[in-house]
Amino acid sequence: MKPVPALAEGFPDLSGMRIAREPHWFRWLSAALIVLVLAAIVRAFAGGQIEWSYVSRFLTAKVILEGIVNTMVMAVLAMALGIVLGVVVAVMRLSPNPVLKTVAAGYTWLFRGTPLILQLLLWFNLALVFPTIGIPGLWSARAVDVMTPFLAALLGLGINQGAYTSEVMRAGMLSVDIGQYEAAQAIGMGRLRALRRIILPQAMRVVIAAARQRVHRHGEGNVARERHPVSGTVAQRRKHLLRQFARDRAADRCRALVPARGLDPDAAPDAARTPLCPRHIAARAMTKPLVAIRSVSKSFGEFQALRSVSLDVWPGEVMCLIGASGSGKTTLLRCINQLAAIDAGGIWLDGELLGVREQSGRLYRLSEREIGRQRLKTGMVFQRFNLFPHKTALENITEGPLQVQGRKSDEVRAEALELLRRVGLSAKADWYPAQLSGGQQQRVAIARALAMKPMLMLFDEPTSALDPELVGEVLAVMKELATSGMTMMVVTHELGFAREVADRVVYMDQGAIVEQGRASDVLGAPREERTKAFLSAVI
């Protein structure tokens, strides 16, 4: 070991000296000036000719108090009406339905582009256009009797506020990552349920955080806390959680090193092989492919992502898809999970045609509800985790079984806790995604997919977004799943994992299958030149 060089001489020791505060004379001068101005104003009002006793009687008069109460009630009701209208109109603006989009855009343009006083006058004089209002055959009344000044003001303020709120809400909804909606779809949620349970809560947090940021600008620390996805109570315990995170992270790394058949150190020896769910047992008993892909093609504009792909996946098989970026691997998984609709060909899962039905020699798209039912047979694990940031690890796992499958809460919670134990995260049940490392988040995502008890697990490059030291955590869980007999399709660049676990490796290039076979054959002695070139570049 080289000796530590001596410190250079000629520098004084300043450790015993205190740093004096720099005087800010301008601050004191401006403060004194403001105090003098305020004192002059108070003196002027106190010595003026205002009869303060009369002012006091005027402010406490009955008509004034009633006006204050009416103003407060109207403000609350108008704000509530504006929020409801804003959410509805924002959803309409983002709808694929051109009629709804046009109506919502027209509403926003009209009520944001005309003066508020004009809108109030129009509502108050509604009787000039509609002498009577009501429901034909059920109820009718004169508009002049119904449209009171209070109601006219409420409608005017609320509808006007709704036009502005809709744009704020639309911006909040657009700020939510598209992966959140895809994750909701992957566990079988329909559009409305995903909007209500996943998208809107996150959009509201963005909107509220933006409003708070405009009001409270007390430095970057406060702004960061406003954007934190966890509740205020947890945020107050930030220092404690960070210390606990550092301790637990080391423990989790140790868990990841445990052999796949015993991932959780606390698990009993006879629990090495996880019992299969009834749906999985039925898949293992099949004498035909669990997934049959026939001549599937998919384009994005002029880009041909899949070119007449045909493939079978057998029950209990672990298939790894390899290839360069853009070769069609992820697109193939998304088509199986119906996050992307195919252009030609067909995909069958458990003998059922996905996404379409055949009738009278023609194919018709299935409804969103039917597609959601089909998705329940597959579990999707995304490259970017796509956990719901406003829900804890436990809530992420229970969301699908409770909201989509409608199962009993106690049963779902017990299974979710068991899944967390299975992936080595029993102590993280009440932690939010932002408090977990990347490897922990991906393990929660795997548990969330398993909670739906799928027949098939789809992994889209589950380790590519992780730091190298965290990859082992996720691969250990995936090896345990493979050992349990789960049917898996894995898009991966981890060739070591593919060589160790995969029953079959499929190499794709330019949207087509170039070569497939046993892992030892494809990775050890490839036949195709394109496969050889790819492997020589990545190994």
Side-chain angles (χ1 to χ4, degrees), residues 1 6 79 83-84 123 134 149 156-157 163 217 231 324 344-345 385 393 405 442 455:
M1 180 181 295
M79 182 61 69
I83 292 174
V84 172
W123 284 110
L157 294 173
R217 291 185 180 273
S231 64
F385 323 140
Q405 295 177 332
Q442 194 63 294
M455 302 177 72

Side-chain angles (χ1 to χ4, degrees), residues 113-134:
T114 55
L116 178 58
I117 186 64
L118 176 60
Q119 297 175 35
L120 293 173
L121 290 174
L122 289 176
W123 284 110
F124 186 67
N125 294 282
L126 187 66
L128 297 177
V129 182
F130 300 100
T132 60
I133 57 176

Side-chain angles (χ1 to χ4, degrees), residues 9-54:
E9 299 180 354
F11 296 92
D13 183 9
L14 305 180
S15 59
M17 302 178 63
R18 298 181 59 185
I19 299 177
R21 298 182 61 181
E22 181 182 355
H24 298 278
W25 300 110
F26 179 76
R27 295 181 184 177
W28 290 102
L29 182 61
S30 59
L33 181 60
I34 291 174
V35 170
L36 290 176
V37 172
L38 291 177
I41 293 174
V42 171
R43 184 174 181 275
F45 273 89
Q49 299 181 2
I50 298 177
E51 293 288 343
W52 291 105
S53 59
Y54 178 79

Side-chain angles (χ1 to χ4, degrees), residues 141 336 355 388 479 482:
I336 296 174
F388 306 136
K479 290 176 183 177

Side-chain angles (χ1 to χ4, degrees), residues 131-258:
T132 60
I133 57 176
I135 303 175
L138 296 178
W139 171 81
S140 64
R142 294 194 312 163
V144 70
D145 296 331
V146 175
M147 192 58 63
T148 63
F150 182 89
L151 182 58
L154 175 61
L155 291 176
L157 294 173
I159 293 177
N160 178 266
Q161 179 64 39
Y164 286 90
T165 304
S166 67
E167 291 298 279
V168 175
M169 287 303 305
R170 185 164 69 100
M173 294 169 64
L174 288 173
S175 71
V176 179
D177 192 280
I178 187 63
Q180 292 294 296
Y181 184 67
E182 292 180 346
Q185 284 183 305
I187 59 175
M189 284 190 175
R191 288 181 178 272
L192 291 180
R193 180 170 286 163
L195 186 69
R196 178 172 58 88
R197 299 283 306 177
I198 306 303
I199 305 302
L200 280 180
Q202 296 184 55
M204 289 299 297
R205 289 174 181 269
V206 173
V207 171
I208 293 173
R212 288 180 178 175
Q213 184 177 345
R214 287 194 297 270
V215 176
H216 303 287
R217 291 185 180 273
H218 296 317
E220 291 297 325
N222 283 355
V223 174
R225 278 196 296 273
E226 294 294 343
R227 295 179 180 175
H228 202 278
V230 301
S231 64
T233 302
V234 177
Q236 294 172 0
R237 297 163 49 215
R238 184 178 179 184
K239 293 183 179 179
H240 167 72
L241 292 175
L242 288 176
R243 288 195 296 268
Q244 185 176 347
F245 173 77
R247 293 193 301 267
D248 291 343
R249 186 170 179 178
D252 289 331
R253 289 180 180 176
C254 293
R255 286 193 183 93
L257 298 176
V258 178

Side-chain angles (χ1 to χ4, degrees), residues 291-340:
V291 182
I293 303 170
R294 298 293 181 268
S295 303
V296 168
S297 297
K298 174 64 180 178
S299 297
F300 298 97
E302 297 182 356
F303 176 70
Q304 188 79 18
L306 295 176
R307 304 172 186 269
S308 191
V309 174
S310 295
L311 187 67
D312 285 333
V313 182
W314 291 88
E317 183 179 20
V318 178
M319 176 183 291
C320 285
L321 306 175
I322 64 173
S325 298
S327 59
K329 311 181 301 296
T330 294
T331 301
L332 182 59
L333 292 196
R334 291 173 62 85
C335 288
I336 296 174
N337 197 240
Q338 303 188 66
L339 296 176

